[in-house]
Each structure stands twice: as structure tokens, then as C-alpha cells.
Amino acid sequence: MLRPTETATRESKRLDGIWDFVLDPEGRGRREQWWQAALEAPVQMPVPASYNDILVDTGLKDHVGDVWYQTTIRVPRGWTGERIVLRFDSATHAAVAWVDGHQVAEHAGGYTPFETDVTDLVVPGSEHRLTVVVNNELNWQTIPPGIVTDTARGRSQRYFHDFFNYAGLHRSVWLRSTPQTRIEDVTITTDRRGTTGLVGYAVLVEGSAAGSVRVVIEDEVGTEVASVTGASGTVEIENVHLWQPGQGYLYQARVEVLDGEGSVIDVYRQPFGVRTVEVRGQEFLINGEPFYFKGFGMHEDQAVRGKGRDDALMVHEFALLDWIGANSFRTSHYPYADEVYDFADRQGIVVIDEVAAVGLNTGIDGGMFGMGPKHPTFSPQTINDVTQEVHKQAIRELVARDKNHPSVVLWSIANEPESDTDASRRYFEPLFELTRELDPSRPVGFVNVMLAPHGKCQVSELADVLMLNRYYGWYVHTDDLESAEEAWGEELAAWAGENKPIIITEYGADTVTGLHTTVPVPYSEEYQAAYLEMNHRVFDSVPAVIGEHVWNFADFATNTRSIIRVDGNKKGVFTRDRRPKAAAHLLRKRWSTKNS
Ligand code: BDP
């Protein structure tokens, strides 16, 4: 799916701003067809933002079910004759949209975009009512999963992941125009022969006018360096400037559809970087060079806005990544906003891109401590074939959205799922196949949980890279870093016996900023530092370890119905307002010198 953009043939308009908003705990809106008229007694809600923390209202914060958003849109009058598309960058977790009285879109999956052709329903120059119902319920057939129960307080959402279930229109909503005959998709893959870049491309054109395709490659300053005709093929770039970690050099493919006379019918600009990614033995190679991942598992999370997209925060976070010497991060535990990947491309930051499959493990329930009644993870009544299809669709949408980002080097198809049972193996095998089929150019993995250690995990052998989350010295061997070091060293040595590279995708300790102790005590800044140092000694003794992502970049909000979190998860190296804890200085020192 192409991005809203501005070119000689395309325009786009963000519909962000203050929208009308109504909470619908009883689910009346769908029965009463609230899209047919102006919402009654609305409050005001910013888009993009999670709605949960915007107003002072526990009903809103803990709401389970539908919410209604409505705004008036004006279609630019210059769009007469154009194809007009309405696009949502995301709606968490499921949505239906109407333009005036017509249903135009329906989508499930809270972190990937969807769009719909509204050309026949709107009049350029006129105003239309846009209504969206967004539902935040998670059940066994959603990704991520959850359970909705009835309690004395009303409906309550339980979920198995350790971050607050923020919901709403987290990202931009757009109108965009294209010509009727248009470029519908562009896929770029890159390779290299000596100093020549090999750019494979495929362009999908839709619409009635016959057209030929021309692709012109421009370098970063806009100079044409190569061109080719045809809807698919390979174009060569002499003396190619590679996209490198730390140096995000980007070319642009100017993709054009031409009519019989050679006039441009449609043009789209696709940025890309030329780089290769390969797993060889226990190495992860970018452009043939071993790469060591230094960075974090992150979250889209901040005060007030929740998971709402925020350019200011994003740019600041990348500045902090640069300051601390990080070269990569994982989009734990869901696809982030498009703008984040654009920025990573530009900054040369490497991304492990994760689908929103988190909490497919009833052995863990909102953190490492199980709470509430237990269910089997995989069963006809819980995570089943239907869930697997939903999971497949989430992978399809992720790959379709992010395939052209040079920053994305590895797909993560789940975080900490149950992986030590036959059922888990049966569930995951087709998902690995699908991901490889969709994108043969990138390695695929999943993130292993400590409940499925080496020798027990049945899914790891399907992965190209081993990604391990381990909390030795925190959830186990708490306050005993010596025993933790020994046990961790043993487990890691066993994993290193597999012929695969290992990335430690999570290690971390909750830390209350400003809590200092003379000797390291859990929750103190000294303990977080000592814990990280212990982990680093273990990693440095195992050559198969090719990456370390601390959990987490910053403190973040979690389920408030849990006694194991005080005001959220405090494993951040930065506080929730992005101030460094003592550990940040330690990491900065290590990462500024560590290359392998
Ligand atoms: C892991 C999860 C992560 C949690 C973390 C923790 O992958 O989402 O936040 O542990 O407990 O289980 O802090």
C-alpha cells in the first residue's frame, strides 16, 4: 500500500485535528446507526492520540467497547476527476468508517493502515460527514489476544501483555488523490555486485488507461543516476552509495506511468536504500559486514497522548538513541507509525520489525507473574485456527507496509509466545513459511521467552536468528547477580551450540529514578547498572551473541489492574519523560566503543 504523498499527480490532506467523540459502553451506536447524523452530546478529542488519558474520566481510561469519532471533511475542489481515497494510518484495534450514510471501510488490527476508494461518494469542493467507530476489545481471536469479562464495575478487559491497552485513532487520517490510472504498489529489493547496486523493482499499475512504466533513480541530491522502462526488472547503479547503519543514504525511485505519447499519467516517489542483509553461520551481515545490534526494545508511549503519533517526541527519541550510541531498536510489540521507519531510514538506524502478536502465552499473564485463571494457550476455545488466520493477515499487512524500508532488517513474528509444545510448533510453522514467501529478502525470527529455554523450545529451529528475552537477576535470581551470571552463562552457552546468531532482545530491571543505595538493591539505579554490567559480561563471553537490546528504552504505562507494577513498567533506561537514569551513562560508555 503506497503512502499519501505529494507529487505532480498526487495530493494528500491530513484530516487530523479536534474531532467529535462519544463513548458507547452499551454498544448502542451500531444499532441506532449513529453515523446517520451528527453525534449527540459529543466531547472533543484530538486525532491522532489515544483517547484514554486525554480527559479526566476513569470511564474513558478503562473503557471497553466502541467509541465514536466524527468530523467534517472538505474535499479539495481541485480533485474533480481524480480518484479519491480515505486512509487511516491505524485504528486500534478495529474500526468501521462511514462517509455520510455509506459504510466505506472495515478493518481489524490496531497497528497497520487501511484505505478505501471514496471517489463516488464525495464531491470535490463539498463537505462530508466522516464517522468512525473504533473498538478496543481483545479476545482469543484478535492479535494481540485478550479476554473481556463482566465485573461489578462493568465490562473489563484482561490481556496477557505488559503494556496499557491504549486505543483510538493513534495515527493520521488522510484523504489522498491520484489519477484514475495509477501506481498502486511498488516493491524494491536491493543487492550489490562489487561497486554496482542492483535494484530489483516491481510496479503494480491499476486503472483503465494503457500505460507504460518508467523508473528513474535519483540520488540524494536529486541527480538522475539510472533509469529503466517496464513494470518490473532490475536497474543498476554504478558506484553505488550504500545504505549503512549510521549512514542512512537514500535514493529515490521516481516511478512514472506514461501514456502512448510519453506524457506522465501518474508519478510516485519511493525512497529506498541499497543494502544487503544476510545471516551467515552465527553472524548477521549488513552489506557483508558483521553487525552488532546495540539498542532497545521500545514502546510508543508517553503521558497524555498514550500511543498517539508525535513528531517532536520521535525526533527527540532518535536524538537520544544517537547520544547513547544505539544503532538499532525493536518495534516491541507492534508495528510503529510509518514516520518512525522513515526516520530510521534517514538516520541509518536498524529496525527489528515486530507484528502485534504479543501475549500468545497464558503461562505469562501481564508480565512474568501469572494472574487469574489459567487457560491453555492453543486450543479450539482459545488461540485457534481463526486466530492463526488473523495472525497471518497481520504479517501480510506488516510486510506490505514496511517491505521497502532499508532500516528493517529482520521480521519478528511474535513476542514471547508459548513455544515449548507441539501445538505451538504447529501454529508457528505456517507463519514462518508465509513470512518467507512474502519477503524472501529478510531473515525471520520470533522472540523466545525464558519459560521455553534451550532444549525445550520447539519453534526456535524455524527461525533464522535466535532472539531471547531473559531476566536473570530480575525475575529469577533476584538480587543475586552472581548466581544469575552463572545460570545465564550456562543457558546462553547451550543456545550458542545452535548454528544461529543470537540477539538478546530483552534484559532489564525495574528502576525507580532517583532511588540510590550504597550497595545495589533491586529498584535502585545502582542495581540497574550492576545488572546491566553482569549481563554484558555474559554476552561478551559468547561470540554467537550479536546484539543487545535493553528492556526498555523508557518507562511506560501498563495495565493498572496488576499489583506487580507501580505506576507502570520502570525498566526504562530513560524515564517516561525521557530523562536518563544512571544506566544511560553506563550504556553510552559501552556502546560508544563496542562494535562487535
Ligand atoms: C517480557 C515482555 C515485555 C515485558 C517484560 C517485563 O516481553 O513486554 O514488559 O517482560 O516484564 O515478558 O518487564
Side-chain angles (χ1 to χ4, degrees):
M1 191 189 295
L2 298 184
R3 301 279 294 284
T5 178
E6 303 280 325
T7 70
T9 59
R10 295 173 168 242
E11 287 174 7
S12 60
K13 179 177 180 179
R14 275 190 212 262
L15 304 177
D16 302 353
I18 304 285
W19 291 31
D20 287 348
F21 179 90
V22 170
L23 217 56
D24 184 13
E26 286 107 43
R28 280 170 43 211
R30 296 188 200 232
R31 285 196 306 275
E32 296 171 8
Q33 307 197 344
W34 285 0
W35 61 88
Q36 299 287 11
L39 293 175
E40 266 177 45
V43 294
Q44 305 303 297
M45 190 57 70
V47 174
S50 303
Y51 56 75
N52 309 74
D53 291 343
I54 300 289
L55 305 177
V56 185
D57 180 351
T58 49
L60 182 63
K61 183 167 182 74
D62 298 332
H63 172 72
V64 179
D66 286 346
V67 298
W68 293 77
Y69 285 89
Q70 197 171 65
T71 192
T72 301
I73 58 177
R74 180 178 284 279
V75 181
R77 69 196 158 108
W79 289 8
T80 307
E82 300 294 281
R83 181 171 186 268
I84 301 169
V85 168
L86 172 68
R87 169 182 164 120
F88 294 83
D89 282 353
S90 73
T92 313
H93 294 279
V96 182
W98 293 263
V99 169
D100 299 325
H102 308 274
Q103 181 177 324
V104 293
E106 183 164 9
H107 183 260
Y111 305 96
T112 41
F114 56 99
E115 62 177 25
T116 177
D117 182 343
V118 295
T119 315
D120 295 338
L121 300 174
V122 297
V123 177
S126 299
E127 287 190 345
H128 297 273
R129 190 178 56 248
L130 173 59
T131 310
V132 190
V133 60
V134 182
N135 184 279
N136 68 348
E137 289 172 53
L138 299 173
N139 59 47
W140 291 114
Q141 276 66 57
T142 57
I143 291 291
I147 307 173
V148 176
T149 50
D150 286 315
T151 68
R153 263 172 71 163
R155 299 174 77 223
S156 171
Q157 176 74 62
R158 197 174 136 205
Y159 41 96
F160 316 112
H161 53 266
D162 185 34
F163 55 92
F164 190 78
N165 188 31
Y166 280 118
L169 296 177
H170 288 153
R171 301 175 189 162
S172 290
V173 184
W174 305 80
L175 277 179
R176 64 182 187 92
S177 75
T178 67
Q180 297 292 345
T181 294
R182 73 231 171 238
I183 300 154
E184 199 53 40
D185 197 19
V186 177
T187 307
I188 305 256
T189 52
T190 62
D191 204 347
R192 170 169 79 127
R193 193 186 55 234
T195 56
T196 304
L198 308 174
V199 182
Y201 73 93
V203 177
L204 177 68
V205 177
E206 281 181 8
S208 53
S212 58
V213 173
R214 176 168 67 192
V215 177
V216 178
I217 308 293
E218 295 174 358
D219 68 10
E220 219 164 52
V221 293
T223 307
E224 183 176 324
V225 293
S227 76
V228 68
T229 53
S232 64
T234 305
V235 52
E236 302 198 351
I237 305 176
E238 301 297 331
N239 296 318
V240 69
H241 198 139
L242 294 175
W243 186 96
Q244 307 259 33
Q247 294 164 37
Y249 191 90
L250 295 179
Y251 290 92
Q252 290 214 15
R254 195 176 81 224
V255 181
E256 298 170 337
V257 184
L258 309 170
D259 66 14
E261 269 86 60
S263 305
V264 174
I265 302 176
D266 189 19
V267 54
Y268 182 81
R269 289 178 165 276
Q270 176 64 59
F272 68 94
V274 179
R275 57 111 184 88
T276 62
V277 174
E278 187 193 341
V279 171
R280 194 189 299 151
Q282 294 192 312
E283 289 182 320
F284 193 98
L285 306 176
I286 300 183
N287 300 327
E289 301 285 328
F291 180 71
Y292 192 93
F293 294 76
K294 298 179 282 189
F296 302 93
M298 298 182 74
H299 263 302
E300 291 186 318
D301 176 90
Q302 66 170 308
V304 184
R305 221 179 259 259
K307 295 197 178 306
R309 185 190 63 77
D310 179 343
D311 283 344
L313 182 73
M314 177 188 76
V315 174
H316 184 57
E317 289 189 337
F318 275 83
L320 293 176
L321 291 174
D322 183 54
W323 172 81
I324 206 168
N327 59 13
S328 56
F329 63 88
R330 175 170 59 118
T331 68
S332 39
H333 296 304
Y334 37 83
Y336 291 179
D338 299 86
E339 290 83 355
V340 176
Y341 301 79
D342 294 344
F343 211 66
D345 289 346
R346 219 181 310 156
Q347 302 289 312
I349 291 285
V350 169
V351 175
I352 302 175
D353 204 359
E354 189 157 277
V355 82
V358 54
L360 282 71
N361 194 337
T362 55
I364 322 166
D365 198 340
M368 290 299 295
F369 295 101
M371 301 189 38
K374 284 278 167 277
H375 300 266
T377 300
F378 300 101
S379 77
Q381 289 72 38
T382 55
I383 295 176
N384 59 19
D385 295 351
V386 177
T387 322
Q388 193 191 39
E389 279 310 311
V390 174
H391 195 158
K392 282 185 185 168
Q393 183 58 17
I395 292 173
R396 280 189 205 103
E397 292 185 20
L398 176 72
V399 175
R401 190 191 72 158
D402 293 345
K403 61 188 173 184
N404 292 329
H405 288 291
S407 56
V408 174
V409 299
L410 172 58
W411 302 114
S412 166
I413 62 170
N415 179 70
E416 297 195 343
E418 177 178 304
S419 64
D420 56 350
T421 53
D422 294 344
S424 60
R425 170 82 188 210
R426 278 197 301 276
Y427 180 90
F428 277 103
E429 216 159 327
L431 300 186
F432 275 93
E433 275 166 28
L434 172 72
T435 316
R436 293 197 171 101
E437 205 177 285
L438 293 167
D439 181 13
S441 79
R442 288 180 180 86
V444 186
F446 82 105
V447 173
N448 163 286
V449 65
M450 68 192 294
L451 302 175
H454 185 260
K456 286 205 170 153
C457 184
Q458 298 194 32
V459 179
S460 298
E461 68 172 324
L462 302 172
D464 299 310
V465 176
L466 299 170
M467 291 190 269
L468 308 179
N469 289 356
R470 289 297 182 275
Y471 288 90
Y472 288 96
W474 186 253
Y475 289 122
V476 291
H477 302 295
T478 316
D479 196 19
D480 180 359
L481 294 177
E482 275 163 35
S483 308
E485 186 163 352
E486 207 179 302
W488 192 186
E490 272 171 33
E491 198 201 339
L492 206 45
W495 283 108
E498 305 293 326
N499 189 30
K500 292 176 197 273
I502 302 171
I503 304 172
I504 311 307
T505 32
E506 286 184 28
Y507 62 113
D510 283 273
T511 304
V512 177
T513 192
L515 180 65
H516 290 287
T517 52
T518 46
V519 290
V521 171
Y523 292 102
S524 69
E525 296 206 30
E526 286 73 16
Y527 192 81
Q528 188 181 34
Y531 168 96
L532 294 179
E533 277 175 334
M534 177 279 285
N535 272 273
H536 297 154
R537 282 194 298 276
V538 174
F539 305 163
D540 291 346
S541 68
V542 180
V545 172
I546 52 98
E548 53 195 55
H549 279 177
V550 180
W551 190 255
N552 186 284
F553 174 72
D555 294 347
F556 58 92
T558 57
N559 189 348
T560 44
R561 305 243 160 99
S562 154
I563 49 158
I564 65 156
R565 298 277 179 254
V566 184
D567 190 33
N569 189 310
K570 299 286 185 215
K571 296 193 184 68
V573 167
F574 295 90
T575 58
R576 202 176 186 211
D577 58 356
R578 274 60 173 175
R579 294 186 202 207
K581 299 181 189 172
H585 298 280
L586 175 157
L587 288 167
R588 185 168 187 242
K589 208 160 153 204
R590 173 176 170 82
W591 289 345
S592 60
T593 52
K594 182 165 179 62
N595 292 315
S596 61

